[in-house]
Protein backbone atom coordinates (compact mmCIF):
# COMPACT_ATOMS: atom_id res chain seq x y z
CA UNK A 1 0.00 0.00 0.00
CA UNK A 2 2.80 2.40 0.88
CA UNK A 3 4.69 1.42 -2.28
CA UNK A 4 1.57 2.16 -4.39
CA UNK A 5 1.12 5.52 -2.65
CA UNK A 6 4.79 6.33 -3.28
CA UNK A 7 4.47 5.49 -7.03
CA UNK A 8 1.32 7.62 -7.32
CA UNK A 9 3.02 10.50 -5.50
CA UNK A 10 6.01 10.22 -7.85
CA UNK A 11 3.72 10.21 -10.90
CA UNK A 12 1.83 13.20 -9.54
CA UNK A 13 5.07 15.13 -8.95
CA UNK A 14 6.24 14.25 -12.49
CA UNK A 15 2.92 15.43 -13.95
CA UNK A 16 3.14 18.72 -12.03
CA UNK A 17 6.71 19.17 -13.28
CA UNK A 18 5.70 18.54 -16.90
CA UNK A 19 2.79 20.95 -16.65
CA UNK A 20 5.09 23.58 -15.18
CA UNK A 21 7.61 23.14 -18.00
CA UNK A 22 4.81 23.23 -20.61
CA UNK A 23 3.40 26.44 -19.18
CA UNK A 24 6.85 28.04 -19.41
CA UNK A 25 7.32 26.96 -23.03
CA UNK A 26 7.80 29.88 -25.36
CA UNK A 27 4.74 31.19 -27.16
CA UNK A 28 4.67 30.92 -30.91
CA UNK A 29 2.90 33.07 -33.46
CA UNK A 30 0.82 31.56 -36.22
CA UNK A 31 1.98 32.49 -39.71
CA UNK A 32 -0.60 34.57 -41.58
CA UNK A 33 -1.66 34.08 -45.18
CA UNK A 34 0.51 35.57 -47.91
CA UNK A 35 -2.41 35.60 -50.38
CA UNK A 36 -4.10 38.98 -50.74
CA UNK A 37 -7.88 38.54 -50.59
CA UNK A 38 -9.61 39.26 -53.90
CA UNK A 39 -10.63 42.90 -54.20
CA UNK A 40 -8.89 44.06 -50.99
CA UNK A 41 -6.53 47.01 -51.39
CA UNK A 42 -5.71 49.18 -48.38
CA UNK A 43 -3.70 51.64 -50.49
CA UNK A 44 -4.42 55.31 -50.10
CA UNK A 45 -3.99 58.42 -48.01
CA UNK A 46 -5.91 58.24 -44.74
CA UNK A 47 -6.66 60.83 -42.06
CA UNK A 48 -7.58 59.83 -38.49
CA UNK A 49 -10.99 60.96 -37.26
CA UNK A 50 -10.27 63.37 -34.42
CA UNK A 51 -13.53 62.60 -32.61
CA UNK A 52 -12.82 58.86 -32.56
CA UNK A 53 -9.15 59.02 -31.59
CA UNK A 54 -8.22 59.44 -27.95
CA UNK A 55 -4.43 59.10 -28.41
CA UNK A 56 -4.29 56.42 -25.78
CA UNK A 57 -4.75 52.70 -25.49
CA UNK A 58 -7.76 51.87 -23.38
CA UNK A 59 -6.92 50.10 -20.16
CA UNK A 60 -9.03 46.98 -19.80
CA UNK A 61 -8.00 46.07 -16.29
CA UNK A 62 -4.22 46.40 -16.18
CA UNK A 63 -2.59 48.79 -13.75
CA UNK A 64 -0.67 50.66 -16.47
CA UNK A 65 -1.81 52.82 -19.33
CA UNK A 66 0.23 53.33 -22.45
CA UNK A 67 -0.04 56.89 -23.74
CA UNK A 68 0.64 57.55 -27.40
CA UNK A 69 2.01 61.07 -27.93
CA UNK A 70 0.83 62.83 -31.10
CA UNK A 71 4.35 64.02 -31.89
CA UNK A 72 5.93 60.61 -31.36
CA UNK A 73 9.37 60.31 -32.93
CA UNK A 74 10.64 57.07 -34.36
CA UNK A 75 11.18 54.43 -31.73
CA UNK A 76 10.96 56.85 -28.83
CA UNK A 77 9.94 55.17 -25.59
CA UNK A 78 6.36 55.61 -24.42
CA UNK A 79 5.77 58.03 -21.55
CA UNK A 80 4.83 55.18 -19.25
CA UNK A 81 5.94 51.60 -19.59
CA UNK A 82 3.38 48.83 -19.67
CA UNK A 83 4.66 46.01 -17.47
CA UNK A 84 8.14 45.98 -18.97
CA UNK A 85 6.85 44.86 -22.36
CA UNK A 86 9.32 45.64 -25.13
CA UNK A 87 6.69 44.91 -27.83
CA UNK A 88 5.35 48.43 -27.31
CA UNK A 89 8.49 49.82 -28.98
CA UNK A 90 7.08 48.49 -32.26
CA UNK A 91 3.84 50.47 -31.98
CA UNK A 92 3.72 53.35 -34.44
CA UNK A 93 1.13 56.09 -34.50
CA UNK A 94 0.19 58.95 -36.80
CA UNK A 95 -2.67 61.31 -37.54
CA UNK A 96 -2.23 60.68 -41.26
CA UNK A 97 -1.31 57.39 -42.84
CA UNK A 98 -0.23 56.53 -46.36
CA UNK A 99 -0.51 52.88 -47.34
CA UNK A 100 1.06 51.39 -50.46
CA UNK A 101 0.13 47.76 -51.14
CA UNK A 102 1.63 45.35 -53.66
CA UNK A 103 0.91 41.69 -54.23
CA UNK A 104 3.77 40.76 -51.89
CA UNK A 105 3.73 43.33 -49.11
CA UNK A 106 2.60 46.63 -47.70
CA UNK A 107 4.25 49.93 -46.74
CA UNK A 108 2.64 52.06 -44.04
CA UNK A 109 3.88 55.65 -43.61
CA UNK A 110 2.89 57.51 -40.44
CA UNK A 111 2.78 61.32 -40.73
CA UNK A 112 5.21 61.17 -43.69
CA UNK A 113 8.11 60.37 -41.36
CA UNK A 114 8.02 56.74 -40.22
CA UNK A 115 7.65 53.96 -42.78
CA UNK A 116 7.00 50.36 -41.80
CA UNK A 117 7.42 47.59 -44.39
CA UNK A 118 5.73 44.21 -44.05
CA UNK A 119 5.88 41.16 -46.29
CA UNK A 120 2.71 39.09 -46.56
CA UNK A 121 3.18 35.72 -44.89
CA UNK A 122 6.37 36.73 -43.06
CA UNK A 123 7.40 34.96 -39.84
CA UNK A 124 10.73 36.23 -38.58
CA UNK A 125 12.80 37.83 -35.84
CA UNK A 126 12.97 41.63 -35.84
CA UNK A 127 15.55 43.69 -33.95
CA UNK A 128 15.70 47.32 -32.88
CA UNK A 129 18.88 47.87 -30.93
CA UNK A 130 18.94 45.36 -28.06
CA UNK A 131 15.24 44.51 -28.43
CA UNK A 132 14.47 41.34 -30.36
CA UNK A 133 10.95 40.11 -31.06
CA UNK A 134 9.12 37.60 -33.21
CA UNK A 135 6.83 39.03 -35.89
CA UNK A 136 4.26 37.60 -38.26
CA UNK A 137 2.28 39.55 -40.82
CA UNK A 138 -0.25 38.71 -43.49
CA UNK A 139 -3.95 38.25 -44.04
CA UNK A 140 -6.72 36.92 -41.81
CA UNK A 141 -9.87 37.12 -43.90
CA UNK A 142 -10.05 40.66 -45.30
CA UNK A 143 -7.83 42.11 -42.55
CA UNK A 144 -4.09 42.75 -42.77
CA UNK A 145 -2.61 41.60 -39.46
CA UNK A 146 0.74 42.17 -37.74
CA UNK A 147 1.56 40.32 -34.51
CA UNK A 148 4.69 41.03 -32.48
CA UNK A 149 5.77 38.82 -29.56
CA UNK A 150 8.48 39.95 -27.13
CA UNK A 151 10.59 37.93 -24.69
CA UNK A 152 8.24 38.70 -21.78
CA UNK A 153 5.37 36.93 -23.58
CA UNK A 154 3.59 40.18 -24.45
CA UNK A 155 1.88 40.27 -27.84
CA UNK A 156 1.15 43.43 -29.80
CA UNK A 157 -1.66 42.72 -32.29
CA UNK A 158 -2.60 45.17 -35.03
CA UNK A 159 -5.20 44.66 -37.75
CA UNK A 160 -6.18 46.93 -40.62
CA UNK A 161 -9.41 46.53 -42.61
CA UNK A 162 -11.78 48.55 -44.77
CA UNK A 163 -15.42 49.12 -43.97
CA UNK A 164 -18.11 47.82 -46.35
CA UNK A 165 -17.73 50.53 -49.02
CA UNK A 166 -13.95 51.03 -48.71
CA UNK A 167 -14.08 54.69 -47.68
CA UNK A 168 -13.11 54.06 -44.05
CA UNK A 169 -10.02 52.28 -42.73
CA UNK A 170 -10.18 50.74 -39.26
CA UNK A 171 -7.10 49.88 -37.22
CA UNK A 172 -7.49 47.73 -34.12
CA UNK A 173 -4.60 47.53 -31.65
CA UNK A 174 -4.42 45.08 -28.75
CA UNK A 175 -1.66 44.30 -26.30
CA UNK A 176 -1.67 41.52 -23.77
CA UNK A 177 -0.12 38.39 -22.37
CA UNK A 178 -1.48 34.97 -23.19
CA UNK A 179 -5.20 34.97 -23.84
CA UNK A 180 -5.83 38.21 -21.96
CA UNK A 181 -5.93 41.56 -23.78
CA UNK A 182 -5.11 44.25 -21.27
CA UNK A 183 -4.93 47.19 -23.65
CA UNK A 184 -7.20 47.97 -26.61
CA UNK A 185 -7.42 50.89 -29.02
CA UNK A 186 -9.27 51.49 -32.28
CA UNK A 187 -8.46 54.17 -34.81
CA UNK A 188 -10.86 55.15 -37.60
CA UNK A 189 -9.42 56.80 -40.72
CA UNK A 190 -11.22 58.55 -43.58
CA UNK A 191 -9.85 58.49 -47.12
CA UNK A 192 -8.31 61.83 -48.13
Amino acid sequence: MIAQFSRNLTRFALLIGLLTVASCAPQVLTTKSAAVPAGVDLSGLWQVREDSDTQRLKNAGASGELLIPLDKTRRSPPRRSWGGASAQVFLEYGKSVKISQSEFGIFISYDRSVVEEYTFGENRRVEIGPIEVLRVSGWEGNSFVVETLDDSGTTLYESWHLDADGSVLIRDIRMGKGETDSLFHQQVFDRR
Side-chain angles (χ1 to χ4, degrees):
M1 178 89 148
I2 293 177
Q4 179 66 28
F5 178 75
S6 177
R7 281 193 299 269
N8 287 341
L9 187 59
T10 302
R11 288 179 186 156
F12 180 73
L14 181 60
L15 179 61
I16 294 297
L18 288 174
L19 289 174
T20 301
V21 169
S23 69
C24 295
Q27 280 183 282
V28 294
L29 297 175
T30 304
T31 302
K32 310 299 177 207
S33 174
V36 179
V40 176
D41 189 352
L42 304 178
S43 297
L45 297 173
W46 303 92
Q47 184 70 37
V48 72
R49 282 188 189 168
E50 292 299 328
D51 62 339
S52 71
D53 190 41
T54 62
Q55 290 84 40
R56 67 182 64 232
L57 288 170
K58 303 291 189 259
N59 186 339
S63 61
E65 184 175 79
L66 177 65
L67 301 177
I68 306 170
L70 289 176
D71 60 349
K72 183 173 185 251
T73 58
R74 181 159 180 79
R75 308 296 186 219
S76 64
R79 286 189 260 168
R80 183 173 178 184
S81 176
W82 183 74
S86 56
Q88 67 192 4
V89 171
F90 292 84
L91 179 61
E92 297 295 347
Y93 175 81
K95 294 181 96 170
S96 67
V97 173
K98 178 181 179 183
I99 297 179
S100 302
Q101 179 179 318
S102 73
E103 69 178 286
F104 303 107
I106 200 165
F107 295 87
I108 302 175
S109 172
Y110 299 89
D111 292 334
R112 299 183 313 177
S113 63
V114 176
V115 178
E116 293 290 337
E117 175 185 359
Y118 304 100
T119 303
F120 302 144
E122 82 176 335
N123 186 340
R124 66 185 184 100
R125 290 199 159 294
V126 178
E127 296 178 22
I128 294 180
I131 298 172
E132 186 175 309
V133 297
L134 295 175
R135 173 181 285 157
V136 297
S137 65
W139 296 93
E140 287 183 348
N142 288 339
S143 295
F144 172 67
V145 173
V146 178
E147 281 186 279
T148 305
L149 175 67
D150 69 14
D151 58 356
S152 76
T154 300
T155 302
L156 171 62
Y157 175 94
E158 298 177 78
S159 74
W160 300 80
H161 66 276
L162 298 172
D163 75 345
D165 69 356
S167 64
V168 175
L169 176 69
I170 299 171
R171 178 188 187 196
D172 290 318
I173 304 166
R174 298 189 319 249
M175 190 178 293
K177 286 190 179 187
E179 299 295 317
T180 305
D181 290 332
S182 298
L183 300 169
F184 175 80
H185 179 65
Q186 185 175 77
Q187 288 182 293
V188 178
F189 296 85
D190 293 304
R191 194 179 290 275
R192 293 190 337 192

